[in-house]
Amino acid sequence: VQLQASGGGLVQTGGSLTLSCAASGRILSSDVVGWFRQAPGKERSFVAGIRRGSGITAYADSVKGRFTVSRDSTRKPVSLQMNSLKPEDTAVYYCAVGPYMSRSHSEYAYWGQGTQVTVSS
């Protein structure tokens, strides 16, 4: 399984960005695509996740109502639409694939390379 995250960049407070996670290889419809982020000096933390087949989603409380994770089909990239961005959203964002909708990064076996999101104040 290979993952490619893209779409990061520099945006002002209140702005929007859309990240994309393209996956290739043997991924099941029951698998979960999770988005995590890691800021300098902090642990990697769960942002959002979506089960590829059912479309069931989960969000961290800190992004609920501002971020939306979605996919058009099981074969299309998974998107993370980020609105009302805040400086505290600044981090490297990673997408990952695992069998469970888990908020723990240790449950995800496959990881993309990460894309930097910087929100200026």
Side-chain angles (χ1 to χ4, degrees), residues 29-33 49-56 71 99-101:
S29 60
S30 58
D31 282 336
V32 171
V33 176
I50 185 167
R51 192 172 294 279
R52 290 176 60 89
S54 66
I56 292 174
R71 89 287 179 257
Y100 310 112
M101 185 70 78

Side-chain angles (χ1 to χ4, degrees), residues 44-80:
R44 193 168 296 190
S45 62
F46 177 80
V47 175
I50 185 167
R51 192 172 294 279
R52 290 176 60 89
S54 66
I56 292 174
T57 59
Y59 296 91
D61 288 343
S62 60
V63 306
K64 202 172 293 185
R66 300 188 297 124
F67 291 12
T68 302
V69 61
S70 63
R71 89 287 179 257
D72 288 336
S73 73
T74 57
R75 298 183 179 181
K76 293 291 181 64
V78 170
S79 297
L80 181 68

Side-chain angles (χ1 to χ4, degrees), residues 8 18 22 27 35-36 42 57 64 66 68 77-79 81 87 89-90 92 94 105 108 114 117 119:
T18 301
I27 301 176
W35 285 97
F36 288 77
K42 295 188 176 181
T57 59
K64 202 172 293 185
R66 300 188 297 124
T68 302
V78 170
S79 297
Q81 173 69 41
D89 294 319
T90 295
V92 177
Y94 300 89
H105 61 80
Y108 293 79
V117 172
V119 184

